[in-house]
Amino acid sequence: AVVAVFTGKANCPYYAKAELLADYLQTNLPDFRVHKITQHPDEWEQWLHDVCETNGWEHRQCPIVWRELVDRGGKGQLLGGLDDFLEYAQQSYGITLVMLNEETLHITEENLKEYLEIVKEDEEIKNLIKPLQIWITSASVPICYHLIPLLANGEAFGMTTEISIHLLDTEEFKEVLRGIVMEAEDMAFPLLHSISEHIEMNQAFTDADIIIVLDDVPLDLEAQSLENYIREVGEICQLYAPLIEKNAKSEVKVISSGKTFANLKATMLRTYGPSIRPENIIAVATSWESAAKAMLARKLNTSTAGVKDVIVWGNITGSNYIDLSHAKLYGYDCAVWGPPTFQRPLLNMIYDSEWIHSAFLSAQSMLRSRMSSCTGMLPAHAVATTLRYWYHGSPPEEIISVGILSGGQFCIPEGIIFSMPVRFQNGNWEVMTELEINETTGKVLGRLSHELVQ
């Protein structure tokens, strides 16, 4: 059997003429087979050069035709261009084909249209399987260890989105990163396309879609001053931000988490990386939100899942304020019952007002201590939950607290990263400016803003 390979520009009339003659031969000759390779006009010259160089041929026209004595992949014998193929068909098979120019032009239009449709379809398929590139800094910390399964199980980005995880840390933690990589690979997550460790800072954040910043500085104010710790955080962000601008994708999402300086890290990444979209740099407050909900659920002897709309204001890992003025209870066992959507104001259900004003406020300091000593499960869950909301939207009508760049909402000074109530939808977030804040909350926000600016 003879396999004839035809290649040409999608809009070339000579390629169309050769194609029709080849189709005629294939239809009428039992031992003649055709394989067509259509190229985009812009890519034709380079493709032709590469094929000829690989096979040692001299040919500069469109189309190029060669024959293979075995199925595709065998040794090719150059036939030449259209005239050479017409001569080959006449001498070998006694067949000629006269075509009208109008018919040839029609075929070239069809070829180009079909080629562009195939290219578009291939691009769509590639985009479906193209993994999200996720970079995690200071990846040797326990938070990262707990975070990887939450990212790889499909809940954060969807059950059809593959991810590639890049663990970044210093040379000192190379073996720790290697151990995490091996364990994650052994778990064989279907959606984990790849996981790798990185210690070369110059290549950090290459093609990143998401960057999760977990860097912390262990606070010991007896050892050194707060100013020194702040300077240390600044040096870290001054290193990362230019690399994000240089190596990451233009729409990269940057998430600041960890036990210390969450707001400050987000602020400094924005300061040192001015080309990063400001709305794409956020600080995660969900850990505080969920821990406060659990504390309230224990007080009310109800399910944590039924406590909604607790707001975390201010400096997430510093001076923050847990606001219960909009909090609601769902499914609470009380005298009045209703459908699953029925809710009651949480403050109305806590009859011990003294607990709200004293015990709960003092419990927040205990909560701060617990948050600083947690092993990583809670903040890892907070990061994964925030990413799920960012990509798929937060529950309708539910308040989510996130540290975002203030635009002057709620009389908070512009230009600082401040935790406030938002909703996620369509891949973005928006501040819930329709919420009314009472006088007490307004005064607290003024004090928190001043402290954070300082």
Side-chain angles (χ1 to χ4, degrees), residues 66-348:
W66 69 86
R67 63 192 291 252
E68 296 174 353
L69 299 180
V70 294
D71 287 341
R72 274 187 290 152
K75 178 66 176 175
Q77 178 186 355
L78 179 65
L79 295 179
L82 174 61
D83 292 339
D84 300 304
F85 178 55
L86 292 173
E87 184 179 347
Y88 168 78
Q90 186 172 7
Q91 290 182 355
S92 300
Y93 304 106
I95 294 175
T96 61
L97 189 63
V98 178
M99 298 184 58
L100 297 175
N101 289 336
E102 185 178 341
E103 188 176 355
T104 305
L105 182 62
H106 176 68
I107 294 169
T108 62
E109 291 174 352
E110 283 189 346
N111 277 345
L112 184 58
K113 182 180 177 182
E114 182 179 353
Y115 175 81
L116 293 176
E117 287 176 353
I118 291 171
V119 169
K120 183 180 178 182
E121 185 177 327
D122 287 345
E123 282 297 317
E124 290 175 351
I125 292 172
K126 287 178 182 177
N127 287 335
L128 285 175
I129 62 173
K130 192 175 183 179
L132 275 177
Q133 303 295 322
I134 304 172
W135 284 76
I136 305 175
T137 71
S138 196
S140 62
V141 298
I143 298 175
C144 179
Y145 188 81
H146 293 285
L147 179 60
I148 290 171
L150 299 178
L151 298 178
N153 66 11
E155 290 187 16
F157 306 108
M159 300 306 294
T160 59
T161 302
E162 291 190 354
I163 64 172
S164 288
I165 297 178
H166 304 267
L167 307 179
L168 179 66
D169 216 317
T170 60
E171 173 78 31
E172 177 186 358
F173 297 102
K174 183 177 180 179
E175 290 305 314
V176 175
L177 297 185
R178 185 70 217 141
I180 296 173
V181 167
M182 292 178 67
E183 190 167 351
E185 289 174 341
D186 289 344
M187 294 179 77
F189 293 105
L191 296 174
L192 184 58
H193 182 268
S194 64
I195 182 168
S196 55
E197 74 271 16
H198 302 266
I199 57 173
E200 294 295 332
M201 194 57 63
N202 288 338
Q203 302 302 317
F205 314 125
T206 299
D207 294 329
D209 294 291
I210 298 166
I211 297 171
I212 302 169
V213 180
L214 300 182
D215 296 73
D216 269 320
V217 291
L219 286 177
D220 183 359
L221 296 178
E222 294 181 0
Q224 59 176 310
S225 66
L226 183 62
E227 287 75 16
N228 286 338
Y229 287 119
I230 291 174
R231 189 176 300 111
E232 189 176 336
V233 173
E235 290 171 355
I236 293 170
C237 296
Q238 200 167 4
L239 174 65
Y240 287 164
L243 289 169
I244 295 173
E245 290 183 304
K246 177 185 175 184
N247 297 335
K249 293 177 182 171
S250 59
E251 295 295 308
V252 63
K253 291 177 168 62
V254 183
I255 296 177
S256 173
S257 184
K259 300 177 182 179
T260 59
F261 299 114
N263 291 51
L264 183 64
K265 285 182 290 188
T267 299
M268 289 189 167
L269 286 169
R270 174 181 166 268
T271 300
Y272 294 123
S275 70
I276 305 170
R277 288 185 63 190
E279 58 269 32
N280 279 8
I281 303 177
I282 68 171
V284 175
T286 312
S287 297
W288 285 86
E289 201 177 89
S290 55
K293 289 176 181 178
M295 184 183 298
L296 292 163
R298 285 191 289 268
K299 171 66 177 178
L300 291 163
N301 193 28
T302 189
S303 167
T304 304
V307 183
K308 307 288 186 184
D309 299 346
V310 173
I311 302 174
V312 179
W313 297 93
N315 188 0
I316 297 164
T317 51
S319 297
N320 60 39
Y321 172 57
I322 310 295
D323 180 7
L324 306 182
S325 60
H326 296 276
K328 302 176 183 66
L329 280 177
Y330 290 80
Y332 185 56
D333 188 6
C334 62
V336 181
W337 280 77
T341 56
F342 178 71
Q343 45 86 8
R344 303 294 300 275
L346 182 140
L347 290 178
N348 290 357

Side-chain angles (χ1 to χ4, degrees), residues 263 266-267 270-271 276-283 402-409 412-420 422 429 431:
N263 291 51
T267 299
R270 174 181 166 268
T271 300
I276 305 170
R277 288 185 63 190
E279 58 269 32
N280 279 8
I281 303 177
I282 68 171
V402 178
I404 52 97
L405 181 66
S406 169
Q409 303 93 339
I412 298 165
E414 294 185 29
I416 60 173
I417 301 290
F418 198 91
S419 181
M420 62 181 78
V422 307
W429 52 261
V431 179

Side-chain angles (χ1 to χ4, degrees), residues 6-23:
F6 294 79
T7 304
K9 294 184 287 187
N11 62 349
C12 175
Y14 302 110
Y15 175 55
K17 197 168 186 177
E19 181 186 4
L20 274 193
L21 179 54
D23 289 342

